[in-house]
Each structure stands twice: as structure tokens, then as C-alpha cells.
């Protein structure tokens, strides 16, 4: 097995993995810095509200992205490896039209039902301006993910990771320089920074298209490309909504039932989990376009062997992370948050168990999407979200909420493994 993995690391895929892993580690450190600055400069209630808005924005942005973040890395390699190769510019145009259409629907719903949506999106119902900022920030994050998906699809993983790292470094700046930090100026400054970066990146890629080809055929057979994107992305849109709802729902539910202080305490455990699990998703980022190529070239058996071997490494790495976090929970909580959050240790130690099953899900989710047009992940995540809602409604104490979170994560990992085991044999 070690020889097999060594050979893979010496290949183009191996170099992509090394670059991605290194930069994702730096992105994780940036997340640590952002969390530390906010936990120390905001009050406990403000930090709780920040986490509610952050999770809500993630849900909204991935709904606005409309599954295109998965569709482009799948179809761009297929288009480029077709015989003869197909132009990807119309595919990109169709994807953008789809994103804008879904975003328009989302904004209409949020604005028409503003009084009902404010407690969900921003944690209270008396700040319409903050909700508008959150909605705008969600859309520009969706556009950023659109650009990142393009980089994944064309195999530019260095650019994919470097642009994400640049964005993370950039949003740290206002947290350091602003003399007074509030929820409004945090998300307002992040909105401005992200808009500037996305405009630059999209402008750069458009210029490259023009420079290389002299023209860009954006609208050729647009209906065909739009049908392709909608057919594949619609199920993934639902999956993205379910996935980020699983992260957002606990904080939104607790903020409305126990208050913002309890939300802040509970968010510590979730933050530890969500800081670690992206390290496991990095390989899935690379696997999706590579497995899409493997399908085109009838090399699925080789991809299957790689995933089987990597599942063991993922399990070992997850156990190591859990052990480190368990042993140094108090130290890491003080280091990454503040001493006032040390009271959450018992909750954090329960919730970090979720890293192991979520690591399994991170490995299998992109491979499942690469192999099948059927949105199995949407079904898996829908079942998990339903179970989470039921289990939270039956819980009354923070400890019960924590165990409910872990139980749903175990179900998520198990269902993804079972699904992969079944569809890889077809």
C-alpha cells in the first residue's frame, strides 16, 4: 500500500495533493487567527451572534451557488477530455445564469419574509441593514466559490488554494485595524474585500480567454449546457443546503431556545470540528475532477483502489486529531478563543468525536458525485438533517445537544460509506 501511495504522490495528482494540503493548513491557521481575534474583541453574546450569521451565510451562499461548485469540477474535465474537446466557455455562462436565477429567488424569499428570516439569519429581528449585508456577503461568497470551482475543473489547484488563502489573509486585516469591532463592520468590511477579490479574479480569467482565443463564444448551444448544469446541479443544490444546514441548524436552534451566550459556548465545539474537517476535504477537492477523468478513460478500478487505501489513512489521522484535541482541550480553548470559554470543555470533548465520521463523509462525498449523476449526497444529508431536527427537539440540555450532534455525524459518515460501497460496484 505504501508503494502505491508513494507512486501516486510522485504523479501530477500527488503534487496537487501536496500543494493543497500545505495551503489548506495555512488556511486553517488563518481560521484560528480570525476566531481568536473575534472571540477576544467581541462580547460573548456578540460572538454567539457572529457564529449564527456565519453559519447562515454559508447556507445561503451554497444555495445561491446552486450546486455549480460540484458541477464545474465534474463537467470541465469531461468537456476537455472529450473527442473532440468541447469548449467550456458556454458551460461557464450557463452556470452563471443558473446561479443568478437561484440567487434572485433566494433574495426574494428572504426580503418578502424579512421578519421571519431575520432571527434565522442574524439571530435577532431588529436589524434589517445587517440582514442586507449578510445577504450581499452570501452572494459574493457564492461567486467566489464559482471561481474556485472553475480552477478545480481546469486542474489549477495551486491557484484554487492560493486564491482561498489570499481571501482568508485579506479578511484578517480589518479585524486588526478597525479601532472598534462590531458585527456590522466585520461583515461589511468582509463584503467589500471579497467583492474586490472576486472582480479581480473574474476579470483576469476573462482577459485570459480573450488573449488566448481572440474571442469568447459564450452563448453557443446555451440551452444544451444549461440543461446539463440544471440536471446535475439541482440535486447538488439540495445537498449543499442540507450540508450547511447541518452546521447552521444547531447554532440557530440554540440561539432561539437558550440564547446567544449558550450559542457562543456551543459554537466552540463546532468550531474545533469545522477547523479540522477541511483538512480531510482537501483530497476530495482533487478527487472529483480526477475521478471524472477516470470515468471518461475507463480507469475506475484504479481510482477505487486509491480511495480504499486512503480510507484507512483518513481514519488514523482523525483518531490522532481527536486524541490531541481531547488531551489539550483547555489549553487550545484558551489559545484559540479566550479563558472565558474554558467552561465549555465538557461540551467540546463530546463534540470532537464527530471528526472521525465527518472525515469519512469528506472522503466519500466527492467520489460519489463523480461516479453518479443521481444526487445520493442530497438523500444522505436530508436524512441526517431530519434526524438532527428531531434529536434537538427532544434534547433539553447542552450535553444532550452535543451528543445529538455526534450521533448525527456518525449517521452521516456511515451512510456515505454504505453508498460508496454500493455504487462503486455498478
Amino acid at each position: 500500500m505504501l508503494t502505491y501511495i508513494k507512486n501516486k504522490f510522485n504523479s501530477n495528482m500527488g503534487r496537487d495533493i501536496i500543494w493543497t494540503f500545505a495551503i489548506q493548513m495555512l488556511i486553517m491557521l488563518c481560521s484560528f487567527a480570525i476566531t481568536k481575534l473575534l472571540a477576544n474583541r467581541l462580547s460573548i453574546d456578540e460572538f454567539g451572534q457572529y457564529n449564527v450569521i456565519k453559519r447562515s451565510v454559508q447556507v445561503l451562499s451554497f444555495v445561491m451557488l446552486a450546486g455549480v461548485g460540484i458541477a464545474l469540477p465534474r463537467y470541465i474535465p469531461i468537456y476537455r477530455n472529450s473527442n473532440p474537446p468541447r469548449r467550456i466557455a458556454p458551460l461557464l455562462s450557463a452556470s452563471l445564469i443558473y446561479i443568478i436565477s437561484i440567487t434572485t429567488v433566494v433574495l426574494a424569499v428572504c426580503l418578502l419574509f424579512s421578519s421571519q428570516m431575520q432571527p434565522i439569519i442574524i439571530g435577532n429581528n431588529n436589524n434589517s441593514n445587517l440582514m442586507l449585508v449578510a445577504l450581499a456577503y452570501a452572494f459574493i461568497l457564492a461567486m467566489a466559490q464559482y471561481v474556485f470551482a472553475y480552477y478545480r475543473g481546469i486542474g489549477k489547484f495551486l491557484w484554487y488554494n492560493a486564491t482561498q488563502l489570499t481571501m482568508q489573509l485579506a479578511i484578517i486585516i480589518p479585524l486588526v485595524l478597525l479601532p472598534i469591532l462590531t458585527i456590522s463592520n466585520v461583515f461589511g468590511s468582509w463584503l467589500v474585500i471579497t467583492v474586490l477579490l472576486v472582480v479581480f479574479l473574474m476579470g483576469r480569467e476573462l482577459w485570459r480567454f480573450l488573449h488566448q482565443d481572440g474571442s469568447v463564444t459564450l452563448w453557443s448551444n446555451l440551452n444544451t449546457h444549461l440543461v446539463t448544469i440544471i440536471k446535475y446541479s439541482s440535486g447538488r443544490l439540495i445537498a449543499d443546503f442540507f450540508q450547511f444546514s447541518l452546521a447552521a441548524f444547531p447554532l440557530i436552534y440554540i440561539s432561539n431556545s437558550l440564547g446567544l451566550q449558550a450559542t457562543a459556548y456551543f459554537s466552540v465545539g463546532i468550531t474545533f470540528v469545522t477547523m479540522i474537517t477541511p483538512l480531510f476535504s482537501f483530497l476530495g477537492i482533487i478527487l472529483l475532477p480526477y475521478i471524472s477523468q477516470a470515468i471518461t478513460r475507463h480507469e475506475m478500478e484504479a481510482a477505487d483502489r486509491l480511495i480504499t487505501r486512503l480510507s484507512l489513512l483518513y481514519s488514523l489521522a482523525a483518531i490522532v486529531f481527536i486524541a490531541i484535541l481531547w488531551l489539550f482541550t483547555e489549553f487550545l480553548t484558551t489559545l484559540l478563543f479566550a479563558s472565558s470559554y474554558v467552561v465549555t470543555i465538557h461540551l467540546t470533548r463530546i463534540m470532537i468525536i464527530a471528526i472521525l465520521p465527518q472525515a469519512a463523509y469528506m472522503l466519500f462525498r466527492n467520489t460519489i458525485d463523480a461516479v453518479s449523476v443521481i444526487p445520493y449526497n442530497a438523500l444522505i444529508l436530508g436524512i441526517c438533517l431530519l434526524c438532527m431536527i428531531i434529536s434537538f427537539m427532544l434534547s433539553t440540555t447542552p450535553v444532550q445537544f452535543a451528543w445529538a450532534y455526534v450521533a448525527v455525524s456518525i449517521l452521516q459518515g456511515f451512510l456515505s460509506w454504505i453508498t460508496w460501497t454500493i455504487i462503486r460496484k455498478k
Side-chain angles (χ1 to χ4, degrees):
M1 184 180 78
L2 292 176
T3 302
Y4 182 83
I5 293 174
K6 182 179 179 181
N7 291 335
K8 284 295 180 182
F9 271 83
N10 289 329
S11 65
N12 289 334
M13 179 179 174
R15 287 189 287 273
D16 288 335
I17 290 173
I18 293 170
W19 271 115
T20 303
F21 181 76
I23 297 179
Q24 288 294 323
M25 286 291 293
L26 294 175
I27 291 173
M28 184 181 72
L29 293 176
C30 289
S31 297
F32 288 161
I34 291 168
T35 301
K36 178 68 175 179
L37 287 166
L38 289 168
N40 279 270
R41 296 196 63 187
L42 298 175
S43 68
I44 292 177
D45 281 1
E46 286 177 325
F47 187 65
Q49 185 179 22
Y50 159 77
N51 279 281
V52 171
I53 297 173
K54 177 185 175 183
R55 305 299 176 190
S56 299
V57 164
Q58 287 177 336
V59 174
L60 289 169
S61 68
F62 275 87
V63 172
M64 293 172 178
L65 185 61
V68 169
I70 299 294
L72 289 184
R74 184 181 195 269
Y75 281 104
I76 289 176
I78 291 174
Y79 273 42
R80 298 176 79 185
N81 286 278
S82 299
N83 189 17
R86 302 171 64 185
R87 298 179 66 89
I88 65 171
L91 181 71
L92 297 174
S93 299
S95 300
L96 187 58
I97 291 171
Y98 186 46
I99 290 171
I100 292 173
S101 300
I102 296 297
T103 298
T104 301
V105 174
V106 172
L107 292 177
V109 170
C110 290
L111 295 176
L112 285 173
F113 300 96
S114 177
S115 59
Q116 291 85 4
M117 296 302 297
Q118 282 191 50
I120 296 173
I121 296 174
I122 63 173
N124 58 46
N125 56 3
N126 58 359
N127 197 335
S128 57
N129 290 334
L130 181 57
M131 191 178 82
L132 291 176
V133 171
L135 292 173
Y137 186 49
F139 172 68
I140 199 61
L141 284 181
M143 295 307 300
Q145 292 296 327
Y146 169 74
V147 177
F148 298 157
Y150 165 75
Y151 286 137
R152 286 175 61 191
I154 62 174
K156 287 192 174 181
F157 292 102
L158 179 58
W159 264 94
Y160 166 77
N161 289 287
T163 49
Q164 285 192 88
L165 178 60
T166 300
M167 191 170 294
Q168 288 293 304
L169 290 170
I171 65 175
I172 292 175
I173 296 172
L175 305 185
V176 176
L177 297 182
L178 288 173
I180 299 175
L181 210 60
T182 65
I183 299 296
S184 295
N185 62 26
V186 166
F187 284 102
S189 62
W190 288 359
L191 171 62
V192 173
I193 289 169
T194 310
V195 166
L196 294 175
L197 287 173
V198 169
V199 169
F200 167 75
L201 292 173
M202 294 185 71
R204 176 185 179 275
E205 295 307 319
L206 182 60
W207 181 87
R208 286 183 69 254
F209 268 114
L210 293 171
H211 182 70
Q212 289 175 355
D213 300 335
S215 63
V216 181
T217 306
L218 296 175
W219 315 112
S220 176
N221 295 321
L222 187 60
N223 288 340
T224 301
H225 300 290
L226 193 56
V227 169
T228 298
I229 288 294
I230 293 174
K231 182 179 178 181
Y232 183 81
S233 298
S234 296
R236 275 69 191 179
L237 186 160
I238 298 170
D240 285 338
F241 172 76
F242 287 157
Q243 179 184 348
F244 287 90
S245 293
L246 281 171
F249 174 79
L251 298 181
I252 293 171
Y253 187 90
I254 292 173
S255 71
N256 283 275
S257 59
L258 301 180
L260 289 174
Q261 186 178 82
T263 305
Y265 290 152
F266 199 83
S267 67
V268 173
I270 289 182
T271 300
F272 274 115
V273 174
T274 56
M275 281 180 176
I276 299 299
T277 49
L279 295 177
F280 295 98
S281 71
F282 82 90
L283 188 58
I285 289 167
I286 297 171
L287 281 176
L288 180 57
Y290 271 99
I291 293 176
S292 295
Q293 289 182 28
I295 294 170
T296 306
R297 299 172 182 174
H298 306 288
E299 300 172 351
M300 193 58 213
E301 289 185 6
D304 183 30
R305 287 194 299 270
L306 175 63
I307 293 165
T308 301
R309 288 165 171 82
L310 286 172
S311 62
L312 177 60
L313 294 180
Y314 263 49
S315 298
L316 293 173
I319 291 170
V320 169
F321 277 118
I322 291 170
I324 292 172
L325 292 175
W326 186 285
L327 291 172
F328 301 102
T329 308
E330 182 174 352
F331 169 75
L332 291 172
T333 301
T334 303
L335 176 67
L336 300 178
F337 294 88
S339 57
S340 55
Y341 293 91
V342 171
V343 295
T344 66
I345 286 176
H346 64 295
L347 293 177
T348 301
R349 283 180 170 164
I350 295 171
M351 296 176 69
I352 59 176
I353 298 171
I355 291 173
L356 180 58
Q358 288 197 23
Y361 174 74
M362 292 295 178
L363 176 62
F364 294 121
R365 66 172 182 172
N366 282 289
T367 56
I368 291 170
D369 276 327
V371 171
S372 177
V373 175
I374 300 173
Y376 288 109
N377 280 316
L379 178 61
I380 292 169
L381 294 168
I383 292 170
C384 292
L385 181 59
L386 178 62
C387 290
M388 178 171 282
I389 292 171
I390 294 171
S391 61
F392 268 57
M393 291 178 66
L394 296 174
S395 301
T396 56
T397 67
V399 171
Q400 290 174 347
F401 287 132
W403 280 115
Y405 177 83
V406 172
V408 172
S409 296
I410 292 171
L411 177 64
Q412 184 178 350
F414 176 75
L415 290 177
S416 64
W417 173 72
I418 286 292
T419 302
W420 170 249
T421 301
I422 294 171
I423 68 172
R424 72 180 180 182
K425 297 177 181 178
K426 293 183 179 181

